[in-house]
Amino acid sequence: MTTYQTGFPTNFLWGGATAANQVEGAYNVGGKGLTTADMVPFIPKEKRGLNFAIDVNSDYIEKALNEEVDDRYPKRDGVDFYHRYEEDIALFAEMGFKAFRLSINWARIFPNGDDAAPSLEGLEFYDRVFNELEKYGIEPIVTLSHYETPLALTRKYNGWYSRELIPLFVKYAETLFNRYRDQVTYWITFNEINMMGHSPYTGGGVLVDKLPNQTKEQISYQALHHQFVASALVTKLAHEINPDAKVGCMLARGQTYPVTNNPEDVLLAQHYNDLNLFHTDVHVHGEYPSFMNRYFAENNIVIQKEIGDDEILKQYPVDYVSLSYYMSKSVASNSEDYEQVSGNLTTYAVKNKYLDTSDWGWQIDPKGLRITLRDMYNRYRKPLFVVENGLGAYDKVEEDGSIHDTYRIDYLKKHIEQMKEAVKEGVDLIGYTAWGPIDLISMSTSEMSKRYGFIYVDQDDEGNGTLKRFKKDSFEWYKQVIATNGEEL
Ligand code: BG6
C-alpha cells in the first residue's frame, strides 16, 4: 500500500518570529549605531491611510536626526526585549516553543557598518539571548538582515544600491558564524528580500531621492542584485565555517489569483506570481530566470554585474526556502471594473469576494497558504519553512486583564490546518514560526495597536504603558497545538 505523511513530522519546528527593530528597543544602548528603522516616525492613521506610513527620503532622515523634533520613533523603543528577554523567552518556553526566529541588529555588532572591529557589547547581548534559548532547548533561527541597515551605510553609500555593502555584510556574517557556530544552525540572509521593489529604504537602506535620474525600479533591481550576491557569498561562508549550517532565503509570498478565467487575467496573475517567485528562483536555481531577462529588457532595466557574479549565484544556492504568508491577492486585467482592495501594492489588485479582510485590509486566505506551499515545493524541491504568518488585530483587555482573542486563534487554526494538508500532499515543511508571538511594533505602520501576539504588551501607539506582559487566550491554545504537534487545533 502506498504510504504518505499523515501529519507534521516529529521534529517540526514550532515557534514564533520577531525582528530586532520591532522588539528590542534600547536603540542607543550598548554602543549600538543608528539604523534605518530608527528613523521611521509614527504617523497616525488619519494622516497615512491603512498601511505603509511613508517611504523615507533624505528629508525624513535629517528631521529625525534633529533632536528638537518632537515626533515619535517607535522602533527605537520596541517593546524593550533588550532588557526583558529572559521573561519573554521564559514565556515562549512555557508555550513549548521548539524554535524562535529573531534577527540580529547589524548596527549592534558594527555600529557604522564598516567599523574595523565588532562591538563586544553588542555581541554579548546576543550571547545572553542564545544562552537563554539554549537553557530551554529552543532552536534559534537567525535572520542576518531584517529591515535594519546601519544608518551610516545609508548616508555614506546609499545602502544596498552600492556594491560596497557586499564585503561589509560578509564580514558581519563571518563574525556571527564564527561566534555562534555551536549555537546557531539555521540562518536566513535577508528578510522578505522582495521588499526592495516596494520600499528600497525598508529593504535595503536605499534613498531613491538621491538618484533622481533613475527610476525606482532600476534602482531597486540593482540593489537587489547586490543582496543576491551577498546572500550567495555568506551561504558559502556559513558552510565553510560550519558544514552543518543551514542557510535559507526569505520571501514575502502572496499567492496571486486571476479574478476570472479570462486568459488575460490568468496571464496577469502568472506574471505577478513570477515577479514574486523570481527572487527565490535566483536563490535556489542560482540564476535569473529567462522571463526576467525579457522583463528587464522591455522595461529598460540594466543590471550592472561584475565578472564572477553569475558564477557566485550558481555555486552557492540556499539549503531551504523560507517565506512569510499573510494574504493572497487577485488581479484583473480590467481592474477598473472591480472593487479595489486596500493594503495591496499592485495597481491591478482587486477585492476577492470569497475572502474576509483584516482590519488593515489584508485578505485572509488559509487555502492560499496550501496552494503556495504546493506550488513552491513543486518549483524548488527544497525544504520549506513558514517563518511568518499571523493576524494583526486590535485586542481588548478585559477588566480582569484577560484578552479573548478568538479571531486570532481562528486565523492561525485555519492556516495550520491547510499547512497540514500541504504536508499530507508531500510538501517538505520543516517548521512554522508565527509572527510576533509577543506584541511588537508594526513594520508597515509603526503602530503598537496592530497586535499579533500570544502575549499582550501594555503599551499604546503613543508609547505609554507599563510594558507588562499578559497572556492572551491564544497563549494556551498555541501551547496545546505545539504539545500535540498540530493534532489538536
Ligand atoms: C512582514 C515583516 O512583512 O510582515 C515583518 O517581515 C512585519 O517585519 C510583518 O512586522 C507584519 O507586517 P506589519 O506591517 O503588520 O507589521
Side-chain angles (χ1 to χ4, degrees), residues 22 146-147 191-192 326 362 388 435 442-444 450 452:
Q22 294 172 262
H146 191 135
Y147 299 160
N191 180 64
E192 297 187 337
Y326 293 92
W362 295 14
E388 282 187 34
W435 177 249
S442 159
M443 180 278 286
S444 58
K450 189 179 188 188
Y452 286 85

Side-chain angles (χ1 to χ4, degrees), residues 8 14-16 95 325-326 364 366 369 386 388-392 405-420 432-437 451-455 472-475 477-479 481 486 489:
F8 293 106
W14 293 102
M95 274 187 279
Y325 177 86
Y326 293 92
I364 301 170
L369 175 57
V386 177
E388 282 187 34
N389 171 241
L391 180 70
D405 56 341
T406 43
Y407 36 89
R408 183 167 294 109
I409 294 173
D410 184 61
Y411 177 103
L412 294 169
K413 176 178 168 349
K414 288 180 174 153
H415 283 78
I416 295 173
E417 265 167 10
Q418 292 304 317
M419 259 179 7
K420 201 200 288 184
Y432 175 80
T433 51
W435 177 249
R451 297 173 184 274
Y452 286 85
F454 307 113
I455 302 162
K472 305 181 193 175
D473 286 358
S474 55
F475 185 99
W477 172 80
Y478 196 46
K479 184 174 172 181
V481 171
L489 293 170

